[in-house]
Amino acid sequence: MNWRTKLTALVISGALTIPAGQAHAFLSGIDKQDGGIGNTENYLDKVPNLELDPKVDHIIYPLMSTPAIKKNGSDLTIKVDSKDKEPAGWEVSLNPTEAAQIDGTFTLPVKNVQKGSSYWKDSSSIYEVTVQIPDEVPEELFDLRVSYTGNGTRITDDEPNSVKVVKEFKEEFKFMHLTDIHVGSPRNIADPANIIEAGLWHPDRTKRWLYLQKTIKQVNLLKPDFVVMTGDLMYGQMNPKEYIYEYEETYRMLKQFNVPVYIVPGNHDYYAQDATLTDGAKYWEQYFGPQYFSFDYGPYAHMIGYNSFDWHKFDRQGHGSVSVPTWGGQIRDEQMEWIKKDLAANKSSAQPEQVRGLFSHHNPLWRDRDIWPSTDPHVNEYWKEYDAKHDPQHLTTLIKGEALGIKYDQQWHGEGSHELIDVMKQNNVNISLHGHTHIDNITEQDGILYSTTASIELSAKPWVGYRLFEKTAADNKFNSYVYEGPDRSMPVYQNGNTSAGVVSFENKFQLPNDGSQVTQTATVTNRLNKSLTVNIPFYMKQGSYTPSVGKVVETQLYGSKQFVEVQVTIPPNTVENVELKR
């Protein structure tokens, strides 16, 4: 049986075995066939008329994947592609998100419009529209709406979850790292006990992807200042048309966040399963926009999200099947130069205590050249051929690399890791965030904290988890990102037990939380062995309210609904009732 036939017969699960003494032996136990194929029914069998519905249209910044965080009174410059139309009559507004359950519009005064450009969007008709965030806009996440008249036709575009308004930027901010959510992955039901939590294409959307729904609810309760998500949002290896429904479903799920989320692609988001029909890179641009970008959290953090699956389409392609030869990391010259310029520009103006972070799917510390055992003659043969040809697209190189990847997995498989690490050190980067392996690991090297976080997919080891990073005062250090042991993330499920379906913490309202109540009780259950500070969103009838415990951090009237946000700290392994009265 040749390597291709063997690959077709593989089951998704497997164990990576690295000989003793290898530098990264801690990687043992993860799924080794990350470039293999799945085995489940085609969702198009159930919904045959589902079509591609691109989300990135006229607005190209800010986007749901690259939101803007802005203070009241500050300016926001929006980038709009008019698609060769002459625009006029600009109107810009902020609207409550789908998850907010409220109505209301905040108009943003337009201050200036000028021709602009974009490093990622190829268009000669991009306009930069500068607006001001009024003081009365509350401190929440909003959808952005832009309207203009183009060649006599009124055009309106909406971008969900794309603008977060804040009263002040916090020096002691907090953010969260999530990775590998894998919507559509059959690995979620590799253990039949997880079938309910997986909700794999359940016809009832409220029961679909329960593991992800529960994670998002926890993130919303913790309400970090922002979230970074490091790729593998979907699966992408069931059939050539799979991305049509997985991208759509993933986009729908991500709209449930009530905090700004910054997203970069992973290998599963970027596969090209045949020559013409499916290219994940094109889908990414149509749904999420740029493959790499940077953003600031006020003066306190500068973060770069980059695409570590930066391969030519030929390398990402299945060549007639849904099996792909390459799933490890790489950065090519164009993206590397952009990262260098971005870090250099930031370094010239940043304050000394500013956090500088990078995040991507693959960890540049974990190079296949170091991990694959030199005692294997096939490994030595592969690297000899790779160095001689220096052409990863050479067919025999691809075939040999895939076979060894199935045996040992692929981490950082290609170019750019050494140079990237050098660039990070030269520019005083503090933190580097990654996924891909579905395991937890914390490594500190040359003043940089390298954090790899377990997946949200149910295949995670030791458990399904995420990390909460809390900035300490007056320096660029973080705490709270290790829940227990040397590296474990915070478990989504109590004690990591996914099949039981009991989460580590949750909130339940006694009455419908829909704006019809004048009294309400929220019951917050903390099953973790640590205290949690959560933000509870109450939607009440109009009025002034006082909580029995905690403090009101925001109150805002939206039509007839009074939104009251209560912040409360819950001790470990405790149930707390928070009563709100008018």
Side-chain angles (χ1 to χ4, degrees):
M1 186 181 293
N2 62 30
W3 66 270
R4 177 74 67 180
T5 305
K6 288 180 180 179
L7 177 60
T8 305
L10 283 171
V11 178
I12 293 301
S13 60
L16 167 65
T17 303
I18 300 177
Q22 291 297 313
H24 299 291
F26 56 81
L27 291 175
S28 62
I30 66 173
D31 290 335
K32 69 181 180 182
Q33 288 91 17
D34 201 37
I37 64 172
N39 182 24
T40 192
E41 67 179 340
N42 184 347
Y43 187 64
L44 289 178
D45 293 340
K46 293 182 177 180
V47 191
N49 297 320
L50 189 66
E51 296 180 355
L52 179 68
D53 182 19
K55 308 302 181 185
V56 177
D57 194 4
H58 295 270
I59 300 171
I60 63 170
Y61 177 81
L63 301 169
M64 183 171 72
S65 61
T66 56
I69 306 177
K70 291 292 180 179
K71 283 178 59 175
N72 292 103
S74 68
D75 289 347
L76 167 63
T77 297
I78 302 161
K79 289 180 180 282
V80 178
D81 183 3
S82 71
K83 301 183 179 181
D84 297 323
K85 292 182 172 61
E86 290 295 328
W90 293 90
E91 294 180 353
V92 180
S93 65
L94 297 179
N95 303 285
T97 65
E98 182 179 293
Q101 307 173 31
I102 50 179
D103 297 319
T105 297
F106 297 92
T107 300
L108 306 185
V110 177
K111 298 178 65 176
N112 184 55
V113 179
Q114 63 183 27
K115 285 294 291 289
S117 62
S118 169
Y119 69 96
W120 71 270
K121 183 70 171 180
D122 185 16
S123 173
S124 60
S125 55
I126 292 173
Y127 287 81
E128 296 180 349
V129 184
T130 300
V131 298
Q132 187 176 53
I133 309 293
D135 290 338
E136 64 268 20
V137 179
E139 194 170 39
E140 292 297 334
L141 182 70
F142 292 95
D143 295 349
L144 175 67
R145 171 167 291 183
V146 174
S147 297
Y148 63 94
T149 300
N151 295 358
T153 301
R154 197 66 184 166
I155 298 166
T156 299
D157 191 24
D158 294 276
E159 185 61 32
N161 296 27
S162 58
V163 179
K164 173 64 185 289
V165 177
V166 298
K167 301 297 182 186
E168 296 290 341
F169 291 105
K170 296 176 285 188
E171 184 176 6
E172 297 185 18
F173 64 91
K174 61 183 181 181
F175 75 91
M176 294 179 68
H177 176 213
L178 281 69
T179 191
D180 295 80
I181 64 175
H182 280 293
V183 167
S185 172
R187 292 185 298 212
N188 279 309
I189 54 172
D191 181 352
N194 286 331
I195 191 166
I196 292 176
E197 292 305 297
L200 187 66
W201 299 114
H202 197 290
D204 182 349
R205 284 186 171 187
T206 65
K207 298 178 181 178
R208 198 180 291 176
W209 328 116
L210 282 183
Y211 70 97
L212 181 55
Q213 290 193 54
K214 291 178 178 182
T215 299
I216 293 173
K217 288 178 181 178
Q218 291 183 9
V219 173
N220 289 344
L221 276 174
L222 291 170
K223 202 174 184 183
D225 295 290
F226 58 88
V227 170
V228 298
M229 188 175 290
T230 53
D232 277 9
L233 275 62
M234 50 220 88
Y235 190 68
Q237 285 192 271
M238 305 309 303
N239 57 79
K241 292 185 178 182
E242 181 178 358
Y243 281 145
I244 292 176
Y245 51 87
E246 285 188 352
Y247 264 89
E248 187 71 26
E249 185 73 1
T250 301
Y251 193 89
R252 180 185 72 83
M253 293 298 299
L254 295 181
K255 288 199 292 183
Q256 296 180 22
F257 281 104
N258 68 6
V259 294
V261 181
Y262 297 88
I263 308 170
V264 292
N267 51 292
H268 277 272
D269 309 317
Y270 247 53
Y271 291 140
Q273 299 293 19
D274 59 53
T276 59
L277 182 63
T278 299
D279 183 354
K282 294 297 184 183
Y283 281 75
W284 186 272
E285 184 174 301
Q286 291 171 320
Y287 276 75
F288 299 115
Q291 59 178 296
Y292 54 88
F293 56 87
S294 67
F295 71 93
D296 292 320
Y297 177 75
Y300 301 120
H302 181 73
M303 306 289 288
I304 294 177
Y306 65 96
N307 173 23
S308 62
F309 194 57
D310 187 8
W311 295 87
H312 188 277
K313 182 179 178 180
F314 187 85
D315 303 285
R316 299 182 283 108
Q317 188 172 309
H319 305 290
S321 80
V322 292
S323 166
V324 293
T326 307
W327 58 94
Q330 174 168 272
I331 288 187
R332 291 184 288 177
D333 289 345
E334 181 178 344
Q335 187 178 186
M336 186 72 75
E337 291 305 309
W338 186 92
I339 291 172
K340 290 178 183 178
K341 290 178 182 178
D342 184 271
L343 281 171
N346 172 72
K347 190 175 181 180
S348 66
S349 59
Q351 63 184 32
E353 288 77 30
Q354 183 195 55
V355 172
R356 297 178 188 90
L358 271 69
F359 57 99
S360 70
H361 189 59
H362 302 83
N363 190 330
L365 287 181
W366 298 348
R367 294 176 285 267
D368 289 355
R369 192 180 288 265
D370 300 329
I371 296 172
W372 289 0
S374 59
T375 54
D376 186 335
H378 297 292
V379 169
N380 295 325
E381 180 184 348
Y382 172 78
W383 291 119
K384 183 178 180 180
E385 178 176 315
Y386 186 98
D387 291 340
K389 299 180 182 300
H390 209 70
D391 179 13
Q393 295 175 36
H394 192 276
L395 185 58
T396 61
T397 305
L398 279 175
I399 292 172
K400 291 175 181 177
E402 181 178 15
L404 288 169
I406 293 168
K407 189 174 183 180
Y408 299 117
D409 203 12
Q410 291 182 10
Q411 300 301 318
W412 197 282
H413 188 61
E415 305 292 321
S417 59
H418 286 288
E419 185 176 6
L420 179 66
I421 291 171
D422 287 342
V423 169
M424 291 166 65
K425 290 190 290 187
Q426 293 163 10
N427 289 276
N428 302 316
V429 169
N430 321 112
I431 189 168
S432 187
L433 306 160
H434 310 284
H436 186 60
T437 61
H438 298 201
I439 65 166
D440 286 323
N441 178 262
I442 296 291
T443 300
E444 294 193 49
Q445 182 173 301
D446 298 319
I448 301 172
L449 175 68
Y450 292 87
S451 172
T452 293
T453 301
S455 67
I456 300 301
E457 184 190 81
L458 296 171
S459 64
K461 304 294 181 184
W463 52 45
V464 174
Y466 48 73
R467 296 194 191 277
L468 173 65
F469 291 84
E470 296 180 334
K471 170 76 162 48
T472 56
D475 61 25
N476 52 23
K477 302 295 183 183
F478 289 93
N479 57 38
S480 85
Y481 54 87
V482 173
Y483 174 67
E484 68 177 34
D487 60 10
R488 289 194 174 186
S489 55
M490 187 180 297
V492 172
Y493 292 89
Q494 185 180 21
N495 301 320
N497 183 358
T498 54
S499 60
V502 179
V503 292
S504 293
F505 65 96
E506 62 185 331
N507 170 61
K508 293 183 178 179
F509 289 102
Q510 187 179 82
L511 299 169
N513 189 37
D514 58 4
S516 63
Q517 315 299 333
V518 293
T519 63
Q520 177 68 281
T521 299
T523 300
V524 184
T525 303
N526 179 13
R527 302 182 180 95
L528 292 167
N529 298 321
K530 63 173 288 183
S531 296
L532 281 180
T533 298
V534 298
N535 288 51
I536 307 170
F538 291 87
Y539 296 98
M540 313 293 289
K541 285 188 175 180
Q542 182 176 354
S544 178
Y545 292 85
T546 303
S548 59
V549 294
K551 62 180 180 180
V552 174
V553 293
E554 184 183 337
T555 182
Q556 177 76 25
L557 183 64
Y558 294 92
S560 62
K561 288 185 181 181
Q562 190 79 42
F563 171 69
V564 183
E565 185 176 317
V566 176
Q567 186 178 87
V568 61
T569 299
I570 313 297
N573 299 297
T574 299
V575 178
E576 186 83 67
N577 288 318
V578 182
E579 187 176 7
L580 196 66
K581 290 183 177 181
R582 189 163 62 177

